[in-house]
mmCIF file of all heavy atoms in Angstrom:
data_model
loop_
_atom_site.group_PDB
_atom_site.id
_atom_site.type_symbol
_atom_site.label_atom_id
_atom_site.label_comp_id
_atom_site.label_asym_id
_atom_site.label_seq_id
_atom_site.Cartn_x
_atom_site.Cartn_y
_atom_site.Cartn_z
ATOM 1 N N HIS N 131 -3.800 86.012 -100.656
ATOM 2 C CA HIS N 131 -3.327 87.132 -101.486
ATOM 3 C C HIS N 131 -3.470 86.774 -102.965
ATOM 4 O O HIS N 131 -3.962 87.583 -103.773
ATOM 5 C CB HIS N 131 -1.872 87.425 -101.119
ATOM 6 C CG HIS N 131 -1.262 88.542 -101.901
ATOM 7 N ND1 HIS N 131 -1.814 89.794 -101.983
ATOM 8 C CD2 HIS N 131 -0.121 88.594 -102.641
ATOM 9 C CE1 HIS N 131 -1.056 90.567 -102.739
ATOM 10 N NE2 HIS N 131 -0.031 89.862 -103.151
ATOM 11 N N GLU N 132 -3.059 85.578 -103.333
ATOM 12 C CA GLU N 132 -3.173 85.113 -104.718
ATOM 13 C C GLU N 132 -4.642 85.055 -105.173
ATOM 14 O O GLU N 132 -4.942 85.197 -106.351
ATOM 15 C CB GLU N 132 -2.562 83.714 -104.861
ATOM 16 C CG GLU N 132 -1.045 83.670 -104.722
ATOM 17 C CD GLU N 132 -0.515 82.257 -104.499
ATOM 18 O OE1 GLU N 132 -1.307 81.301 -104.634
ATOM 19 O OE2 GLU N 132 0.670 82.120 -104.184
ATOM 20 N N GLN N 133 -5.534 84.788 -104.223
ATOM 21 C CA GLN N 133 -6.959 84.687 -104.537
ATOM 22 C C GLN N 133 -7.649 86.042 -104.512
ATOM 23 O O GLN N 133 -8.885 86.109 -104.633
ATOM 24 C CB GLN N 133 -7.655 83.746 -103.531
ATOM 25 C CG GLN N 133 -7.104 82.341 -103.500
ATOM 26 C CD GLN N 133 -7.660 81.480 -104.627
ATOM 27 O OE1 GLN N 133 -8.612 81.874 -105.312
ATOM 28 N NE2 GLN N 133 -7.074 80.308 -104.821
ATOM 29 N N GLY N 134 -6.875 87.106 -104.278
ATOM 30 C CA GLY N 134 -7.462 88.443 -104.360
ATOM 31 C C GLY N 134 -8.112 88.971 -103.093
ATOM 32 O O GLY N 134 -8.935 89.890 -103.151
ATOM 33 N N MET N 135 -7.767 88.414 -101.948
ATOM 34 C CA MET N 135 -8.322 88.938 -100.696
ATOM 35 C C MET N 135 -7.911 90.399 -100.543
ATOM 36 O O MET N 135 -6.749 90.767 -100.773
ATOM 37 C CB MET N 135 -7.811 88.133 -99.497
ATOM 38 C CG MET N 135 -8.406 88.586 -98.165
ATOM 39 S SD MET N 135 -7.980 87.479 -96.778
ATOM 40 C CE MET N 135 -6.255 87.919 -96.503
ATOM 41 N N THR N 136 -8.868 91.259 -100.150
ATOM 42 C CA THR N 136 -8.571 92.685 -99.983
ATOM 43 C C THR N 136 -8.122 92.980 -98.552
ATOM 44 O O THR N 136 -8.270 92.161 -97.657
ATOM 45 C CB THR N 136 -9.803 93.545 -100.281
ATOM 46 O OG1 THR N 136 -10.794 93.266 -99.262
ATOM 47 C CG2 THR N 136 -10.402 93.218 -101.642
ATOM 48 N N ASN N 137 -7.617 94.196 -98.385
ATOM 49 C CA ASN N 137 -7.202 94.660 -97.063
ATOM 50 C C ASN N 137 -8.371 94.692 -96.082
ATOM 51 O O ASN N 137 -8.226 94.318 -94.916
ATOM 52 C CB ASN N 137 -6.631 96.083 -97.215
ATOM 53 C CG ASN N 137 -5.444 96.306 -96.331
ATOM 54 O OD1 ASN N 137 -4.510 95.496 -96.336
ATOM 55 N ND2 ASN N 137 -5.492 97.370 -95.538
ATOM 56 N N GLU N 138 -9.518 95.111 -96.587
ATOM 57 C CA GLU N 138 -10.687 95.206 -95.712
ATOM 58 C C GLU N 138 -11.148 93.809 -95.274
ATOM 59 O O GLU N 138 -11.548 93.608 -94.127
ATOM 60 C CB GLU N 138 -11.817 95.926 -96.480
ATOM 61 C CG GLU N 138 -12.602 96.879 -95.606
ATOM 62 C CD GLU N 138 -13.655 97.628 -96.416
ATOM 63 O OE1 GLU N 138 -13.552 97.649 -97.678
ATOM 64 O OE2 GLU N 138 -14.583 98.187 -95.794
ATOM 65 N N GLU N 139 -11.084 92.871 -96.200
ATOM 66 C CA GLU N 139 -11.435 91.488 -95.848
ATOM 67 C C GLU N 139 -10.461 90.926 -94.813
ATOM 68 O O GLU N 139 -10.865 90.251 -93.864
ATOM 69 C CB GLU N 139 -11.452 90.602 -97.106
ATOM 70 C CG GLU N 139 -12.627 90.901 -98.034
ATOM 71 C CD GLU N 139 -12.523 90.206 -99.390
ATOM 72 O OE1 GLU N 139 -11.395 89.896 -99.837
ATOM 73 O OE2 GLU N 139 -13.589 89.996 -100.023
ATOM 74 N N LEU N 140 -9.181 91.232 -95.011
ATOM 75 C CA LEU N 140 -8.165 90.777 -94.049
ATOM 76 C C LEU N 140 -8.520 91.218 -92.633
ATOM 77 O O LEU N 140 -8.497 90.418 -91.696
ATOM 78 C CB LEU N 140 -6.788 91.348 -94.430
ATOM 79 C CG LEU N 140 -5.666 91.085 -93.420
ATOM 80 C CD1 LEU N 140 -5.264 89.618 -93.425
ATOM 81 C CD2 LEU N 140 -4.450 91.966 -93.707
ATOM 82 N N PHE N 141 -8.857 92.498 -92.496
ATOM 83 C CA PHE N 141 -9.130 93.008 -91.148
ATOM 84 C C PHE N 141 -10.425 92.438 -90.564
ATOM 85 O O PHE N 141 -10.553 92.306 -89.346
ATOM 86 C CB PHE N 141 -9.121 94.544 -91.144
ATOM 87 C CG PHE N 141 -7.737 95.084 -90.949
ATOM 88 C CD1 PHE N 141 -6.883 95.273 -92.028
ATOM 89 C CD2 PHE N 141 -7.240 95.328 -89.675
ATOM 90 C CE1 PHE N 141 -5.569 95.730 -91.854
ATOM 91 C CE2 PHE N 141 -5.944 95.793 -89.481
ATOM 92 C CZ PHE N 141 -5.106 95.989 -90.568
ATOM 93 N N GLU N 142 -11.361 92.087 -91.408
ATOM 94 C CA GLU N 142 -12.575 91.459 -90.868
ATOM 95 C C GLU N 142 -12.274 90.041 -90.389
ATOM 96 O O GLU N 142 -12.893 89.556 -89.435
ATOM 97 C CB GLU N 142 -13.700 91.502 -91.910
ATOM 98 C CG GLU N 142 -14.122 92.953 -92.194
ATOM 99 C CD GLU N 142 -15.407 93.088 -92.990
ATOM 100 O OE1 GLU N 142 -16.008 92.050 -93.353
ATOM 101 O OE2 GLU N 142 -15.819 94.239 -93.250
#
Side-chain angles (χ1 to χ4, degrees):
Chain N
H131 180 54
E132 290 165 10
Q133 301 279 349
M135 183 172 74
T136 66
N137 218 50
E138 219 177 343
E139 289 170 334
L140 173 71
F141 274 86
E142 295 192 0

